[in-house]
Amino acid sequence: MKLSPMAFENVVERLLVACGVHDVTRTPPTNDAGVDVRGVLVIEELMWVRVAVQVKRYSGNVSRPDIQKLRDSLSHGEVGWFFTTGGYSEGARVEAQAKDRQPISLISGLEVADLLIKYSVAIDDSEQVLQVEEA
């Protein structure tokens, strides 16, 4: 059973809130420039970090151009998180951690599942069962 792209965005949006992200808002479904959700991670009321999140329901690996597109969409001081049901190519991993660029956090399908369990975020019946693949 598969999770639709919009249903996966719903799940990630609820996960972000459970993880302490405030002011979670979705970008328009078209022309989002590589960002599906934006919010502010509040850490102990001492630090506010603006986050831009890309969400992809892939059965394979996310590639380098996807990471570059997210990075190009970041505003000044914003950090990028990339959530996928699949995994990441080696090129995507290298790009995400490039020393001369703002880092992008990569969250794969298995990590998404672990976070859903850790933060007790349920997937309701209308969203079906989340399938993840090991990369």
Side-chain angles (χ1 to χ4, degrees), residues 62-63 66-67 70 80-84 87-97 103-109 111-112:
V62 171
S63 63
D66 294 312
I67 305 305
L70 173 57
W81 294 347
F82 203 115
F83 285 78
T84 183
Y88 296 94
S89 69
E90 182 59 29
R93 291 182 187 283
V94 168
E95 180 64 31
Q97 297 304 317
I104 304 291
S105 296
L106 305 179
I107 302 94
S108 68
E111 292 165 318
V112 172

Side-chain angles (χ1 to χ4, degrees), residues 16-126:
L16 294 173
V17 171
C19 291
V21 179
H22 296 254
D23 302 325
V24 175
T25 56
R26 281 219 202 159
T27 60
T30 57
N31 299 321
D32 64 11
V35 176
D36 294 311
V37 181
R38 282 195 153 91
V40 179
L41 176 63
V42 178
I43 304 168
E44 297 295 325
E45 296 295 327
L46 297 173
M47 181 182 290
W48 291 263
V49 180
R50 291 181 305 127
V51 296
V53 181
Q54 177 65 24
V55 180
K56 289 288 185 199
R57 186 187 56 88
Y58 280 178
S59 58
N61 287 333
V62 171
S63 63
R64 178 181 295 235
D66 294 312
I67 305 305
Q68 291 169 327
K69 185 176 179 183
L70 173 57
R71 181 176 285 117
D72 290 344
S73 299
L74 298 178
S75 299
H76 180 72
E78 197 170 42
V79 299
W81 294 347
F82 203 115
F83 285 78
T84 183
T85 52
Y88 296 94
S89 69
E90 182 59 29
R93 291 182 187 283
V94 168
E95 180 64 31
Q97 297 304 317
K99 296 199 186 302
D100 60 337
R101 296 181 189 99
Q102 196 163 1
I104 304 291
S105 296
L106 305 179
I107 302 94
S108 68
L110 292 174
E111 292 165 318
V112 172
D114 287 344
L115 288 169
L116 291 172
I117 292 166
K118 178 178 179 176
Y119 289 98
S120 302
V121 176
I123 298 173
D124 66 38
D125 291 340
S126 67

